[in-house]
Amino acid sequence: VVYTQSEILQREVYLFERLDSPNREPMKHLKAICFLRPTKENVELLVQELRRPKYSVYFIYFSNVISKSDVKALAEADEQEVVAEVQEFYGDYIAVNPHVFSLNLLGCCRGRSWDPAQLARTTQGLTALLLSLKKCPMIRYQLSSEPAKRLAECVKQVITKEYELFDFRRTEVPPLLLILDRSDDAITPLLNQWTYQAMVHELLGINNNRIDLSRVPGISKDLREVVLSAENDEFYANNMYLNFAEIGTNIKNLMEDFQRRKPKEQQKLESIADMKAFVENYPQFKKMSGTVSKHVTVVGELSRLVAERNLLEVSEVEQELACQSDHSSALQSVRRLLQSPRVSELDAARLVMLYALRYERHGSSGLPALLEELRSRGGSDRYRKLVSAVVEYGGKRVRGSDLFSPKDAVAITKQFLKGLKGIENVYTQHQPLLQETLDQLIKGKLKDSQYPYLGPNTLRDRPQDIIVFLIGGATYEEALAVFNLNRSNPGVRIVLGGTTIHNTRR
């Protein structure tokens, strides 16, 4: 995720090994750089390694704070004095986008409380992030969530214990860490997406920037797995937040540009200068050709899935469920789609989940009938169980915020006007709850009664440096919201993190 292999090769690193791979050959002519999480297992593996070193010198970097006792254990194992240095290099998280990070943890809670191992891992990830960004923040958390309060306390404990590490130059307005709980908004991860990055994750799945295309009909061998990273793919960087329609146009332009630059087949390489020019331009051409074939394949596959699964129609009904409050129309729409053979089982279940979350307390709820409909599709019982699990996880009883109704007259008017203008895109009406929460926070209006500070101090000024963390996972729709907030509020910097990055399947 951080570095391509070719970039690392340019730094004269020629061999990549895992510390736990059993049959490594001794290569005493090589120096070793070890980059490890400071876990008990890793320290133990390193102790074994140092007792019988395979390389001439070791430079050891831990991605987080390491205890004195572990350093002592390593020193005692290093009888041959092969260790040149031991450093802490805080990088105990995955940087997904320039403003988004993840800890790649699935299922961090059991019921309403933390799994202790995951709580420890999340605390480490968050404190490493703060150290790498050199922030010692004030902390606010979602009051309705017990896990949010626990995590806030754990992070605070580390900051207090390692106070020397957190002794950064004070800024006028201290940074703020806001800890939220996914269960407050279970709607966002269930919606189909229409911007490039979010759509790729929803339909194909992004795993550490890698996309698995092996299921694509007739795919060539070198495109079975592709990497999409804004760091070294200009087209992706420029298009990741654009809507699907715009990407189609941009792909066409990219193709045309590529056609123009193609080296002529019959190009006469007569002089040395011709050959030199050809050789110089060839890597650029090769790189561009790779980029073009990759994006054409990805976008082609997205189009195929949208058509095959009838996603335009499905998405329109999802947006209606998430953003409007006309119960009878919504119920009819969901029923109509459940009866369509073109709607996949996942999409049918997703619609019933959204309906259940939206109209869970409605007087004439059609949920029992919809669940029956799901069953008669011949689907597995698993999806029906999941519907009630989703409501239990993110239903009205659990939520600390009001997910659906606009809070005041102004908001209601805004919604009405939005409806009149025939909103620019029926498929992207939905705004995640996070958007509103951060908007309130930036304006200094986020209620202390719902999002209290940890400890006696509060911020007098509006926050400028905000790190927001979602227990239970963030989404690329929220990443887009944060990207837009950063763009429209100069002077405010927001970083979004989550225990994972969700799509519907996750």
Side-chain angles (χ1 to χ4, degrees):
V1 173
V2 181
Y3 241 34
T4 62
Q5 195 155 333
S6 42
E7 280 177 300
I8 304 180
L9 285 167
Q10 283 166 4
R11 311 273 171 174
E12 301 185 2
V13 177
Y14 299 119
L15 182 65
F16 304 88
E17 290 279 17
R18 285 176 56 107
L19 191 59
D20 56 3
S21 62
N23 305 323
R24 285 181 290 124
E25 292 169 27
M27 297 194 181
K28 292 289 192 187
H29 57 290
L30 291 181
K31 300 173 186 169
I33 298 170
C34 311
F35 184 59
L36 309 164
R37 297 200 56 241
T39 59
K40 279 276 165 267
E41 300 79 25
N42 281 346
V43 171
E44 189 42 51
L45 284 166
L46 206 47
V47 162
Q48 304 298 336
E49 177 78 18
L50 294 177
R51 287 205 178 116
R52 287 184 296 282
K54 295 189 168 57
Y55 313 105
S56 61
V57 191
Y58 287 76
F59 298 82
I60 300 170
Y61 292 83
F62 287 107
S63 66
N64 213 326
V65 180
I66 180 150
S67 68
K68 289 203 170 61
S69 58
D70 283 342
V71 177
K72 187 164 175 265
L74 292 175
E76 284 167 0
D78 183 23
E79 289 169 359
Q80 302 184 33
E81 299 187 353
V82 288
V83 176
E85 56 182 68
V86 178
Q87 301 261 10
E88 290 171 352
F89 184 93
Y90 308 111
D92 211 3
Y93 53 91
I94 307 286
V96 181
N97 287 0
H99 60 280
V100 182
F101 69 98
S102 161
L103 301 178
N104 284 2
L105 295 178
L106 266 179
C108 50
C109 290
R110 297 180 185 164
R112 295 259 158 261
S113 49
W114 274 102
D115 171 323
Q118 306 278 40
L119 174 60
R121 172 67 187 99
T122 305
T123 306
Q124 290 160 358
L126 258 183
T127 47
L129 177 94
L130 295 171
L131 286 168
S132 65
L133 297 180
K134 298 190 164 51
K135 308 282 181 220
C136 182
M138 298 180 77
I139 303 175
R140 294 181 74 172
Y141 61 92
Q142 183 182 313
L143 185 62
S144 62
S145 159
E146 190 51 42
K149 186 175 183 201
R150 284 279 295 134
L151 180 59
E153 289 165 349
C154 288
V155 170
K156 186 78 182 146
Q157 273 170 0
V158 175
I159 293 177
T160 311
K161 186 178 156 219
E162 303 285 353
Y163 65 94
E164 291 167 331
L165 287 176
F166 281 92
D167 187 17
F168 302 120
R169 201 163 49 95
R170 294 293 150 97
T171 47
E172 254 174 74
V173 184
L176 184 74
L177 169 64
L178 174 64
I179 298 178
L180 306 174
D181 193 318
R182 175 80 270 160
S183 61
D184 232 26
D185 172 10
I187 291 280
T188 300
L190 292 174
L191 297 171
N192 265 298
Q193 298 300 327
W194 296 99
T195 54
Y196 195 23
Q197 184 181 33
M199 204 174 170
V200 169
H201 190 42
E202 182 57 47
L203 297 181
L204 302 170
I206 299 176
N207 187 4
N208 291 342
N209 287 348
R210 294 196 301 273
I211 323 295
D212 178 5
L213 294 174
S214 58
R215 288 194 212 76
V216 177
I219 188 81
S220 71
K221 205 168 82 207
D222 53 346
L223 285 173
R224 286 210 175 130
E225 184 177 77
V226 299
V227 172
L228 285 186
S229 157
E231 279 289 293
N232 35 41
D233 180 335
E234 199 184 337
F235 182 84
Y236 186 55
N238 295 337
N239 286 275
M240 55 203 282
Y241 301 120
L242 296 184
N243 273 331
F244 196 49
E246 301 170 89
I247 294 159
T249 316
N250 293 351
I251 281 270
K252 192 165 150 275
N253 297 340
L254 182 71
M255 286 284 295
E256 286 167 358
D257 187 30
F258 175 62
Q259 297 297 8
R260 277 198 298 277
R261 296 194 192 183
K262 236 180 177 165
K264 306 280 177 290
E265 298 306 324
Q266 293 75 26
Q267 194 175 9
K268 293 202 168 65
L269 299 177
E270 288 167 352
S271 66
I272 297 289
D274 286 349
M275 293 180 197
K276 197 162 162 247
F278 177 79
V279 170
E280 271 169 11
N281 293 327
Y282 190 71
Q284 283 310 97
F285 168 74
K286 189 93 180 89
K287 187 177 172 197
M288 194 175 174
S289 136
T291 304
V292 171
S293 54
K294 174 170 74 180
H295 288 289
V296 167
T297 307
V298 170
V299 172
E301 179 59 5
L302 294 178
S303 301
R304 186 183 75 83
L305 290 169
V306 166
E308 184 183 278
R309 285 168 52 185
N310 203 14
L311 290 182
L312 285 168
E313 211 179 327
V314 170
S315 176
E316 198 171 333
V317 175
E318 289 170 13
Q319 295 285 329
E320 181 186 347
L321 285 167
C323 307
Q324 291 153 28
S325 43
D326 178 348
H327 175 254
S328 64
S329 152
L331 183 57
Q332 278 177 337
S333 305
V334 174
R335 283 201 131 134
R336 189 185 77 244
L337 285 177
L338 284 186
Q339 286 158 6
S340 157
R342 287 185 59 200
V343 173
S344 74
E345 200 175 336
L346 175 75
D347 295 320
R350 176 205 317 253
L351 287 166
V352 179
M353 285 173 191
L354 289 167
Y355 174 87
L357 283 167
R358 182 73 174 89
Y359 295 110
E360 119 193 50
R361 305 222 166 147
H362 196 278
S364 47
S365 164
L367 189 58
L370 292 177
L371 288 169
E372 194 42 52
E373 193 83 50
L374 254 191
R375 211 184 66 190
S376 64
R377 289 178 60 109
S380 60
D381 230 24
R382 190 177 72 126
Y383 282 121
R384 289 179 58 233
K385 291 198 183 96
L386 279 176
V387 172
S388 57
V390 161
V391 174
E392 202 177 309
Y393 173 75
K396 192 133 178 84
R397 204 171 46 83
V398 185
R399 294 197 293 266
S401 63
D402 205 354
L403 187 56
F404 291 111
S405 58
K407 313 296 172 283
D408 50 23
V410 178
I412 291 173
T413 326
K414 257 207 217 134
Q415 229 186 4
F416 177 67
L417 288 172
K418 216 162 145 187
L420 277 184
K421 269 210 317 265
I423 175 149
E424 73 277 0
N425 188 335
V426 59
Y427 304 110
T428 52
Q429 301 169 57
H430 176 259
Q431 297 281 354
L433 178 68
L434 182 69
Q435 167 110 18
E436 192 185 331
T437 309
L438 288 174
D439 203 42
Q440 299 279 337
L441 180 63
I442 293 167
K443 292 177 176 150
K445 290 183 182 168
L446 193 64
K447 290 196 179 83
D448 289 10
S449 57
Q450 288 175 316
Y451 301 93
Y453 284 88
L454 190 65
N457 301 336
T458 57
L459 268 185
R460 287 186 306 282
D461 309 280
R462 291 178 180 188
Q464 293 169 347
D465 251 324
I466 301 166
I467 294 160
V468 56
F469 187 79
L470 270 161
I471 299 168
T475 64
Y476 285 121
E477 188 186 344
E478 287 156 334
L480 170 69
V482 167
F483 173 77
N484 288 330
L485 282 166
N486 279 331
R487 239 187 2 185
S488 55
N489 294 287
V492 175
R493 280 192 305 276
I494 308 170
V495 170
L496 167 70
T499 41
T500 186
I501 307 270
H502 279 302
N503 54 18
T504 300
R505 285 175 203 278
R506 289 207 184 161

mmCIF file of all heavy atoms in Angstrom, residues 80-108:
data_model
loop_
_atom_site.group_PDB
_atom_site.id
_atom_site.type_symbol
_atom_site.label_atom_id
_atom_site.label_comp_id
_atom_site.label_asym_id
_atom_site.label_seq_id
_atom_site.Cartn_x
_atom_site.Cartn_y
_atom_site.Cartn_z
ATOM 1 N N GLN A 80 26.004 -12.087 18.799
ATOM 2 C CA GLN A 80 27.013 -11.837 17.749
ATOM 3 C C GLN A 80 27.086 -10.361 17.358
ATOM 4 O O GLN A 80 27.792 -10.002 16.414
ATOM 5 C CB GLN A 80 26.701 -12.706 16.525
ATOM 6 C CG GLN A 80 26.685 -14.183 16.878
ATOM 7 C CD GLN A 80 26.478 -15.046 15.643
ATOM 8 O OE1 GLN A 80 26.917 -14.701 14.550
ATOM 9 N NE2 GLN A 80 25.821 -16.185 15.821
ATOM 10 N N GLU A 81 26.317 -9.538 18.072
ATOM 11 C CA GLU A 81 26.326 -8.090 17.842
ATOM 12 C C GLU A 81 26.111 -7.721 16.379
ATOM 13 O O GLU A 81 26.903 -6.998 15.767
ATOM 14 C CB GLU A 81 27.639 -7.489 18.383
ATOM 15 C CG GLU A 81 27.765 -7.727 19.887
ATOM 16 C CD GLU A 81 28.952 -7.008 20.520
ATOM 17 O OE1 GLU A 81 29.760 -6.433 19.772
ATOM 18 O OE2 GLU A 81 29.041 -7.032 21.753
ATOM 19 N N VAL A 82 25.036 -8.239 15.837
ATOM 20 C CA VAL A 82 24.704 -7.929 14.435
ATOM 21 C C VAL A 82 23.691 -6.783 14.321
ATOM 22 O O VAL A 82 23.449 -6.275 13.227
ATOM 23 C CB VAL A 82 24.135 -9.176 13.698
ATOM 24 C CG1 VAL A 82 25.222 -10.193 13.447
ATOM 25 C CG2 VAL A 82 22.982 -9.788 14.467
ATOM 26 N N VAL A 83 23.096 -6.365 15.442
ATOM 27 C CA VAL A 83 22.080 -5.307 15.357
ATOM 28 C C VAL A 83 22.762 -3.937 15.339
ATOM 29 O O VAL A 83 23.488 -3.577 16.257
ATOM 30 C CB VAL A 83 21.098 -5.382 16.549
ATOM 31 C CG1 VAL A 83 20.109 -4.221 16.506
ATOM 32 C CG2 VAL A 83 20.349 -6.706 16.521
ATOM 33 N N ALA A 84 22.512 -3.189 14.251
ATOM 34 C CA ALA A 84 23.114 -1.856 14.130
ATOM 35 C C ALA A 84 22.241 -0.809 14.810
ATOM 36 O O ALA A 84 22.737 0.104 15.451
ATOM 37 C CB ALA A 84 23.315 -1.498 12.666
ATOM 38 N N GLU A 85 20.919 -0.927 14.619
ATOM 39 C CA GLU A 85 20.041 0.024 15.318
ATOM 40 C C GLU A 85 18.635 -0.520 15.501
ATOM 41 O O GLU A 85 18.199 -1.407 14.760
ATOM 42 C CB GLU A 85 20.005 1.374 14.599
ATOM 43 C CG GLU A 85 19.593 1.330 13.147
ATOM 44 C CD GLU A 85 19.645 2.720 12.512
ATOM 45 O OE1 GLU A 85 20.755 3.272 12.337
ATOM 46 O OE2 GLU A 85 18.570 3.266 12.201
ATOM 47 N N VAL A 86 17.943 0.031 16.515
ATOM 48 C CA VAL A 86 16.535 -0.301 16.743
ATOM 49 C C VAL A 86 15.788 1.021 16.832
ATOM 50 O O VAL A 86 16.184 1.905 17.599
ATOM 51 C CB VAL A 86 16.353 -1.084 18.072
ATOM 52 C CG1 VAL A 86 14.867 -1.378 18.307
ATOM 53 C CG2 VAL A 86 17.139 -2.378 18.038
ATOM 54 N N GLN A 87 14.760 1.174 16.022
ATOM 55 C CA GLN A 87 14.017 2.437 15.996
ATOM 56 C C GLN A 87 12.518 2.179 16.105
ATOM 57 O O GLN A 87 12.046 1.100 15.756
ATOM 58 C CB GLN A 87 14.250 3.153 14.648
ATOM 59 C CG GLN A 87 15.684 3.466 14.338
ATOM 60 C CD GLN A 87 16.023 4.904 14.668
ATOM 61 O OE1 GLN A 87 15.241 5.615 15.292
ATOM 62 N NE2 GLN A 87 17.209 5.330 14.248
ATOM 63 N N GLU A 88 11.807 3.213 16.564
ATOM 64 C CA GLU A 88 10.351 3.187 16.459
ATOM 65 C C GLU A 88 9.967 4.090 15.287
ATOM 66 O O GLU A 88 10.374 5.249 15.246
ATOM 67 C CB GLU A 88 9.701 3.705 17.745
ATOM 68 C CG GLU A 88 9.884 2.737 18.902
ATOM 69 C CD GLU A 88 9.440 3.303 20.242
ATOM 70 O OE1 GLU A 88 9.116 4.510 20.341
ATOM 71 O OE2 GLU A 88 9.430 2.527 21.215
ATOM 72 N N PHE A 89 9.251 3.520 14.346
ATOM 73 C CA PHE A 89 8.819 4.293 13.174
ATOM 74 C C PHE A 89 7.313 4.106 13.077
ATOM 75 O O PHE A 89 6.838 3.060 12.662
ATOM 76 C CB PHE A 89 9.516 3.749 11.915
ATOM 77 C CG PHE A 89 9.208 4.540 10.684
ATOM 78 C CD1 PHE A 89 10.034 5.582 10.288
ATOM 79 C CD2 PHE A 89 8.081 4.258 9.935
ATOM 80 C CE1 PHE A 89 9.730 6.331 9.156
ATOM 81 C CE2 PHE A 89 7.772 5.008 8.801
ATOM 82 C CZ PHE A 89 8.603 6.034 8.414
ATOM 83 N N TYR A 90 6.558 5.116 13.513
ATOM 84 C CA TYR A 90 5.120 4.905 13.747
ATOM 85 C C TYR A 90 4.360 4.769 12.429
ATOM 86 O O TYR A 90 4.186 5.738 11.698
ATOM 87 C CB TYR A 90 4.563 6.044 14.605
ATOM 88 C CG TYR A 90 5.408 6.224 15.845
ATOM 89 C CD1 TYR A 90 6.202 7.346 16.028
ATOM 90 C CD2 TYR A 90 5.459 5.202 16.798
ATOM 91 C CE1 TYR A 90 7.010 7.464 17.142
ATOM 92 C CE2 TYR A 90 6.276 5.317 17.914
ATOM 93 C CZ TYR A 90 7.045 6.453 18.079
ATOM 94 O OH TYR A 90 7.855 6.556 19.173
ATOM 95 N N GLY A 91 3.936 3.560 12.134
ATOM 96 C CA GLY A 91 3.178 3.325 10.907
ATOM 97 C C GLY A 91 2.294 2.120 11.107
ATOM 98 O O GLY A 91 2.216 1.257 10.253
ATOM 99 N N ASP A 92 1.604 2.084 12.241
ATOM 100 C CA ASP A 92 0.879 0.875 12.636
ATOM 101 C C ASP A 92 -0.558 0.878 12.099
ATOM 102 O O ASP A 92 -1.486 0.502 12.793
ATOM 103 C CB ASP A 92 0.862 0.802 14.166
ATOM 104 C CG ASP A 92 0.840 -0.638 14.653
ATOM 105 O OD1 ASP A 92 0.891 -1.525 13.794
ATOM 106 O OD2 ASP A 92 0.765 -0.870 15.867
ATOM 107 N N TYR A 93 -0.722 1.368 10.870
ATOM 108 C CA TYR A 93 -2.055 1.441 10.272
ATOM 109 C C TYR A 93 -1.859 1.452 8.768
ATOM 110 O O TYR A 93 -0.734 1.591 8.280
ATOM 111 C CB TYR A 93 -2.782 2.724 10.724
ATOM 112 C CG TYR A 93 -1.972 3.987 10.480
ATOM 113 C CD1 TYR A 93 -2.110 4.690 9.292
ATOM 114 C CD2 TYR A 93 -1.058 4.450 11.424
ATOM 115 C CE1 TYR A 93 -1.344 5.822 9.048
ATOM 116 C CE2 TYR A 93 -0.298 5.584 11.188
ATOM 117 C CZ TYR A 93 -0.447 6.262 9.991
ATOM 118 O OH TYR A 93 0.305 7.381 9.734
ATOM 119 N N ILE A 94 -2.945 1.296 8.015
ATOM 120 C CA ILE A 94 -2.866 1.277 6.552
ATOM 121 C C ILE A 94 -3.378 2.610 6.017
ATOM 122 O O ILE A 94 -4.534 2.963 6.261
ATOM 123 C CB ILE A 94 -3.749 0.142 5.980
ATOM 124 C CG1 ILE A 94 -3.421 -1.204 6.628
ATOM 125 C CG2 ILE A 94 -3.622 0.063 4.468
ATOM 126 C CD1 ILE A 94 -2.155 -1.843 6.199
ATOM 127 N N ALA A 95 -2.524 3.342 5.307
ATOM 128 C CA ALA A 95 -2.969 4.610 4.696
ATOM 129 C C ALA A 95 -3.629 4.293 3.359
ATOM 130 O O ALA A 95 -2.981 3.853 2.426
ATOM 131 C CB ALA A 95 -1.781 5.543 4.509
ATOM 132 N N VAL A 96 -4.942 4.505 3.288
ATOM 133 C CA VAL A 96 -5.704 4.067 2.119
ATOM 134 C C VAL A 96 -5.776 5.165 1.064
ATOM 135 O O VAL A 96 -5.549 4.939 -0.116
ATOM 136 C CB VAL A 96 -7.135 3.667 2.556
ATOM 137 C CG1 VAL A 96 -7.943 3.181 1.378
ATOM 138 C CG2 VAL A 96 -7.077 2.570 3.618
ATOM 139 N N ASN A 97 -6.133 6.371 1.499
ATOM 140 C CA ASN A 97 -6.145 7.564 0.646
ATOM 141 C C ASN A 97 -5.332 8.610 1.394
ATOM 142 O O ASN A 97 -5.031 8.412 2.577
ATOM 143 C CB ASN A 97 -7.583 8.089 0.474
ATOM 144 C CG ASN A 97 -8.413 7.208 -0.447
ATOM 145 O OD1 ASN A 97 -7.934 6.210 -0.960
ATOM 146 N ND2 ASN A 97 -9.670 7.574 -0.645
ATOM 147 N N PRO A 98 -5.036 9.747 0.755
ATOM 148 C CA PRO A 98 -4.280 10.768 1.501
ATOM 149 C C PRO A 98 -4.946 11.207 2.813
ATOM 150 O O PRO A 98 -4.279 11.666 3.714
ATOM 151 C CB PRO A 98 -4.222 11.934 0.506
ATOM 152 C CG PRO A 98 -4.268 11.278 -0.827
ATOM 153 C CD PRO A 98 -5.185 10.095 -0.670
ATOM 154 N N HIS A 99 -6.265 11.039 2.930
ATOM 155 C CA HIS A 99 -6.938 11.470 4.164
ATOM 156 C C HIS A 99 -7.714 10.335 4.826
ATOM 157 O O HIS A 99 -8.585 10.583 5.663
ATOM 158 C CB HIS A 99 -7.891 12.629 3.848
ATOM 159 C CG HIS A 99 -8.953 12.244 2.859
ATOM 160 N ND1 HIS A 99 -8.709 12.205 1.503
ATOM 161 C CD2 HIS A 99 -10.228 11.825 3.019
ATOM 162 C CE1 HIS A 99 -9.801 11.804 0.885
ATOM 163 N NE2 HIS A 99 -10.737 11.555 1.779
ATOM 164 N N VAL A 100 -7.423 9.082 4.449
ATOM 165 C CA VAL A 100 -8.185 7.950 4.993
ATOM 166 C C VAL A 100 -7.234 6.843 5.428
ATOM 167 O O VAL A 100 -6.296 6.517 4.704
ATOM 168 C CB VAL A 100 -9.158 7.359 3.929
ATOM 169 C CG1 VAL A 100 -9.979 6.229 4.528
ATOM 170 C CG2 VAL A 100 -10.075 8.440 3.393
ATOM 171 N N PHE A 101 -7.492 6.272 6.615
ATOM 172 C CA PHE A 101 -6.684 5.124 7.042
ATOM 173 C C PHE A 101 -7.589 4.026 7.595
ATOM 174 O O PHE A 101 -8.730 4.272 7.974
ATOM 175 C CB PHE A 101 -5.637 5.530 8.095
ATOM 176 C CG PHE A 101 -6.212 5.917 9.429
ATOM 177 C CD1 PHE A 101 -6.271 5.010 10.482
ATOM 178 C CD2 PHE A 101 -6.685 7.212 9.653
ATOM 179 C CE1 PHE A 101 -6.800 5.370 11.716
ATOM 180 C CE2 PHE A 101 -7.217 7.573 10.892
ATOM 181 C CZ PHE A 101 -7.271 6.647 11.923
ATOM 182 N N SER A 102 -7.053 2.805 7.610
ATOM 183 C CA SER A 102 -7.820 1.656 8.086
ATOM 184 C C SER A 102 -6.894 0.769 8.901
ATOM 185 O O SER A 102 -5.674 0.831 8.755
ATOM 186 C CB SER A 102 -8.355 0.883 6.878
ATOM 187 O OG SER A 102 -8.711 -0.431 7.258
ATOM 188 N N LEU A 103 -7.490 -0.056 9.780
ATOM 189 C CA LEU A 103 -6.670 -1.000 10.554
ATOM 190 C C LEU A 103 -6.862 -2.434 10.059
ATOM 191 O O LEU A 103 -6.309 -3.372 10.623
ATOM 192 C CB LEU A 103 -7.041 -0.911 12.047
ATOM 193 C CG LEU A 103 -6.861 0.476 12.675
ATOM 194 C CD1 LEU A 103 -7.311 0.452 14.136
ATOM 195 C CD2 LEU A 103 -5.423 0.944 12.584
ATOM 196 N N ASN A 104 -7.673 -2.595 8.982
ATOM 197 C CA ASN A 104 -7.930 -3.936 8.425
ATOM 198 C C ASN A 104 -8.430 -4.936 9.474
ATOM 199 O O ASN A 104 -8.009 -6.081 9.497
ATOM 200 C CB ASN A 104 -6.663 -4.502 7.759
ATOM 201 C CG ASN A 104 -6.412 -3.843 6.404
ATOM 202 O OD1 ASN A 104 -7.151 -2.955 6.010
ATOM 203 N ND2 ASN A 104 -5.387 -4.273 5.707
ATOM 204 N N LEU A 105 -9.300 -4.475 10.355
ATOM 205 C CA LEU A 105 -9.880 -5.375 11.371
ATOM 206 C C LEU A 105 -11.343 -5.613 11.058
ATOM 207 O O LEU A 105 -12.106 -4.661 10.931
ATOM 208 C CB LEU A 105 -9.822 -4.730 12.767
ATOM 209 C CG LEU A 105 -8.470 -4.454 13.400
ATOM 210 C CD1 LEU A 105 -8.687 -3.780 14.751
ATOM 211 C CD2 LEU A 105 -7.703 -5.748 13.590
ATOM 212 N N LEU A 106 -11.741 -6.865 10.929
ATOM 213 C CA LEU A 106 -13.166 -7.147 10.730
ATOM 214 C C LEU A 106 -13.773 -7.656 12.035
ATOM 215 O O LEU A 106 -13.164 -8.469 12.723
ATOM 216 C CB LEU A 106 -13.337 -8.202 9.648
ATOM 217 C CG LEU A 106 -13.578 -7.655 8.236
ATOM 218 C CD1 LEU A 106 -13.706 -8.796 7.252
ATOM 219 C CD2 LEU A 106 -14.821 -6.788 8.176
ATOM 220 N N GLY A 107 -14.968 -7.163 12.351
ATOM 221 C CA GLY A 107 -15.662 -7.673 13.537
ATOM 222 C C GLY A 107 -14.930 -7.344 14.823
ATOM 223 O O GLY A 107 -14.326 -8.206 15.441
ATOM 224 N N CYS A 108 -14.935 -6.054 15.215
ATOM 225 C CA CYS A 108 -14.128 -5.674 16.379
ATOM 226 C C CYS A 108 -14.892 -5.804 17.699
ATOM 227 O O CYS A 108 -14.297 -5.789 18.756
ATOM 228 C CB CYS A 108 -13.607 -4.254 16.210
ATOM 229 S SG CYS A 108 -14.881 -3.090 15.760
#
